[in-house]
């Protein structure tokens, strides 16, 4: 059992949790993830590590309520326990070889990006950041990130904060305007990572994306998380989650993400009040 | 005494009924049936069956105790060498091991040793008190990585020798393949849990959600005061065929399909929150026990038609004869000498399989006749789900994080077969992590050998230390 020692709601349906997990914190690195389970009958879901402290023994996660499990997780509060919390999983991000990096975070994708920005900033890398979301409420961790980057740009779909439009508009503007980056790291929805990668391919800037496919064990055993990268099948849990954005087959990844859409709908109906299921 | 050459049959659930439920297929012997079967044993002076058992269960001795009605004594005899009789009695390939060696099998059917082992084991499942009490703690800690058959066996033996044993399990529940892989209808999970609670009673500590190679490394364990580490982390990454269409929606590895169903209980969705696709027409590729398990699960989840697609013939099929028989009875269709070359898709989902017919040529390095493609024999069949059950390749998590652990050409951990000792001091390994996919009992045998080797090594060390201290005191 893993105790929740802090919980905050960052945006409507988006929550931050600090979890007591000393063994996970002991070896966690930026870019890695955990797998958790809320209830005995619960599903195992992967969530990226947003921050960690080895000496205090905690790990933070930031998640959006998108399905049944994230909904159940959101119901837990400070002092409650998460049943299972296993990790750190996946390979740590390779961050130590760049001199000037542009990080692009979309929605909750900002959460896993934050420890990477922090790590690079502390190592002396110059980091510029673009954050994007549908509206200002969904721009996460802007204050924290501002403290550890050179310049922060913001884009919202509705223009309620920063540029009205997409992160790719800002990316294009920066690079066309003469800014030079030796690497781009993009984490966010698959459509965003796909669009960013298409653009950086044109600009010939190497780009890393972080994949978060459906998985069960997270240790390489099930193969459910397979991603096609450069024509080869890779396992996001042991080979990733970071991959070369110019080589990832995003269309396939988007399709695979939809595998249980029908079941999600069915389970939602079953759990509606009056349907004999659990009330959400 | 007259000799009976036929096994006492074991009752099974009616195929027409069982194909719709996950309850155990084989129902076990009644007392009368067990006594009748035990009575067939000739009590050979030089029992070949014992040599045929990877952990050398004293088979004639336990059967003799059984015939006398001394059940506890029978149990204790088995338990001396085999900590998991209820499990082995169900999943061991006895027909290839002990029963094959039985003298009766020369003229008829060998003794149903597995069924008798199951009968004896099941009678003591609820005994929380371990039959063979552990020695008092010797204060030394040993780490066991993985809680499948190899790990559980090593842990039990080491605990009995007096070590403080901690088992590290990556999943949220201990049991390894016994929990995530083998389906309920072949090995009820309640039974596995009982066997594990017996180990807990022996003083074995289980730490779940700890991934060795990630959460902690093998070196961390050695630094944390464990005198030895046994790695029984099991088989690894599922292998795929490397044919077009494998990443279509509706294609599973058998590992994933079975884990969703067995460990995550997806058959009980949405009460259990993990979903699994329910195929209508399912193709399972492969001919091993895992393929049979996956096919029979698909049937139980309501598939109208389930095909086993296997590139050799029935004769070469690696699955146990009994599993093939049970699968057949339940209506699984066997497409033998058939090799898939492409998974066909529509809108991103599986819609069929393109296969070629094969014929058997010369024997290959495995001694089995090599299947050769018949030119121009391609044909398409409609399927909406494909499950790939062609084995696994070693998991890199532990070897990648332990650079001084040598591996074989295939990526398995290299060991000394007699002891399980690896290239790294104090580190032992056994089971599928070493051999690649094999059987439960082979993994148990490896766990046993390694436990004994660890005990020898650590006792030797303790003796030397004692002598050194004694000399120093002089």
């Amino acid at each position: 059992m893993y105790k929740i020692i802090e919980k905050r709601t960052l945006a409507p349906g988006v929550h931050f949790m600090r979890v007591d997990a000393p063994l996970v914190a002991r070896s966690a690195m930026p870019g890695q993830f955990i797998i958790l389970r809320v209830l005995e009958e619960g599903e195992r879901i992967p969530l990226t590590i947003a921050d960690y402290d080895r000496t205090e023994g905690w790990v933070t996660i930031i998640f959006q309520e998108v399905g049944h499990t994230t909904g159940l997780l959101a119901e837990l509060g400070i002092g409650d326990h998460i049943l299972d919390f296993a990790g750190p999983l996946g390979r740590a991000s390779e961050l130590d070889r760049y001199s000037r990096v542009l990080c692009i975070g979309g929605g909750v994708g900002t959460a896993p990006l934050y420890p990477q920005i922090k790590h690079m900033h502390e190592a002396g890398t110059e980091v510029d950041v673009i954050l994007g979301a549908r509206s200002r409420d969904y721009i996460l961790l802007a204050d924290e990130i501002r403290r550890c980057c050179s310049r922060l740009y913001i884009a919202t779909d509705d223009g309620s904060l920063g540029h009205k439009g997409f992160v790719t508009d800002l990316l294009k503007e920066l690079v066309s305007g003469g800014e030079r980056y030796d690497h781009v790291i993009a984490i966010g929805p698959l459509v965003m990572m796909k669009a960013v990668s298409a653009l950086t391919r044109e600009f010939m800037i190497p780009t890393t994306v972080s994949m978060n496919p459906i998985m069960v064990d997270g240790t390489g055993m099930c193969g459910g998380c397979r991603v096609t990268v450069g024509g080869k099948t890779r396992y996001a849990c042991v080979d990733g989650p970071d991959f070369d954005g110019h080589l990832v087959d995003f269309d396939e990844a988007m399709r695979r993400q939809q595998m249980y859409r029908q079941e999600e709908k069915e389970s939602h109906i079953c759990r509606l009040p009056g349907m004999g299921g659990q009330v959400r | 005494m007259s000799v009976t050459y036929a096994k006492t049959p074991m009752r099974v659930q009616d195929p027409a009924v069982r194909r719709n439920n996950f309850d155990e297929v084989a129902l076990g012997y009644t007392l009368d049936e067990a006594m009748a079967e035990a009575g067939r044993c000739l009590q050979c002076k030089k029992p070949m069956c014992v040599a045929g058992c990877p952990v050398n269960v004293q088979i004639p001795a336990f059967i003799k105790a059984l015939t006398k009605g001394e059940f506890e004594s029978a149990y204790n005899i088995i338990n001396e060498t085999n900590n998991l009789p209820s499990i082995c009695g169900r999943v061991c390939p006895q027909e290839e091991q002990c029963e094959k060696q039985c003298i009766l099998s020369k003229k008829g059917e060998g003794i149903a040793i597995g069924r008798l082992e199951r009968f004896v084991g099941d009678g003591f499942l609820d005994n929380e008190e371990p039959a063979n009490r552990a020695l008092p703690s010797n204060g030394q800690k040993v780490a066991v990585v993985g809680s499948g058959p190899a790990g559980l066996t090593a842990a039990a033996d080491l605990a009995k020798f007096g070590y403080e044993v901690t088992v590290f399990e990556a999943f949220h529940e201990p049991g390894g393949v016994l929990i995530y892989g083998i389906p309920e209808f072949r090995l009820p999970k309640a039974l596995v849990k009982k066997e594990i609670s017996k180990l807990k009673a022996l003083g074995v500590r289980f730490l779940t959600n700890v991934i060795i190679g990630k959460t902690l490394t093998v070196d961390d364990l050695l630094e944390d005061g464990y005198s030895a580490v046994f790695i029984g982390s099991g088989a690894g990454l599922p292998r795929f065929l490397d044919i077009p269409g494998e990443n279509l929606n509706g294609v599973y590895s058998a590992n994933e399909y079975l884990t969703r169903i067995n460990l995550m209980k997806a058959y009980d969705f949405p009460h259990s929150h993990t979903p699994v696709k329910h195929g209508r027409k399912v193709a399972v590729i492969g001919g091993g026990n895992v393929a049979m398990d996956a096919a029979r699960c698909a049937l139980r989840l309501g598939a109208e038609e389930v095909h086993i697609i296997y590139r050799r013939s029935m004769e070469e099929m690696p699955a146990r004869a009994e599993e093939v028989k049970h699968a057949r009875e339940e209506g699984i269709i066997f497409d033998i000498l058939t090799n898939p070359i492409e998974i066909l898709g529509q809108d991103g989902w599986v819609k069929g399989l393109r296969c070629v017919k094969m014929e058997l040529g010369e024997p290959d390095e495995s001694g089995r006749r090599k299947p050769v493609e018949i030119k121009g024999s391609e044909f398409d069949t409609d399927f909406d789900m494909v499950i790939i059950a062609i084995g696994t390749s070693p998991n890199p998590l532990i070897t990648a994080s332990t650079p001084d652990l040598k591996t074989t050409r295939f990526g398995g951990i290299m060991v000394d077969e007699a002891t399980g000792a690896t290239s790294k001091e104090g580190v032992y390994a056994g089971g599928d992590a070493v051999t690649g996919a094999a059987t439960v009992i082979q993994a148990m045998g490896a766990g046993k050998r390694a436990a004994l080797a660890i005990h020898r090594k650590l006792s030797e060390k303790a003796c030397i230390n004692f002598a050194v201290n004694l000399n120093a005191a002089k």
Side-chain angles (χ1 to χ4, degrees), chain B residues 110-150:
Chain B
I111 296 284
I113 299 165
R115 295 173 186 175
L116 291 178
E117 184 182 30
R118 168 183 169 162
F119 174 81
V120 173
D122 284 5
F124 292 85
L125 264 181
D126 291 315
N127 274 33
E128 283 289 321
E129 198 67 13
N132 298 325
R133 284 162 194 279
L135 292 171
S137 167
N138 61 21
Q140 296 204 72
K141 297 201 297 176
V142 177
V144 170
V145 180
S147 61

Side-chain angles (χ1 to χ4, degrees), chain A residues 27 37 41 44 68 84 87-88 90 214 217 219-222 224 226 228 235 252 255-256 259-260 263 271, chain B residues 171-172 209 214-215 237-238 240 246-247 249 251-253 255-256 259-260 270-271 273 277 348-349 395:
Chain A
S27 42
R37 209 167 63 115
E41 61 273 24
R44 293 168 65 93
H68 188 46
D84 298 298
I214 295 168
D217 60 298
T219 64
M221 205 202 75
C222 83
R226 53 199 191 275
T228 301
Y235 294 162
E252 180 190 274
R255 208 186 62 222
R256 291 185 62 80
M259 184 128 158
Y260 296 103
E263 284 77 6
R271 292 189 185 98
Chain B
F171 269 130
H172 53 265
N209 295 325
K214 283 288 167 190
T215 315
L237 315 177
F240 285 86
E246 281 188 304
N247 290 350
N249 288 1
V251 180
Y252 282 109
S253 74
N255 267 6
E256 178 179 4
T259 302
R260 283 180 178 272
H271 172 72
H273 303 171
K277 284 284 161 197
W349 290 83
N395 192 312

Side-chain angles (χ1 to χ4, degrees), chain A residues 90-110:
Chain A
R91 297 160 81 114
S93 300
E94 291 173 15
L95 302 170
D96 298 328
R97 47 180 163 154
Y98 315 125
S99 55
R100 187 152 189 255
V101 175
L102 177 65
C103 290
I104 305 176
V108 280
T110 304

Side-chain angles (χ1 to χ4, degrees), chain B residues 357-370:
Chain B
K357 293 305 271 176
M358 310 292 276
E359 59 189 353
L360 292 178
E362 295 300 307
D364 62 11
E365 64 273 17
S366 73
R368 298 180 296 180
R369 289 179 66 192
K370 195 183 166 80

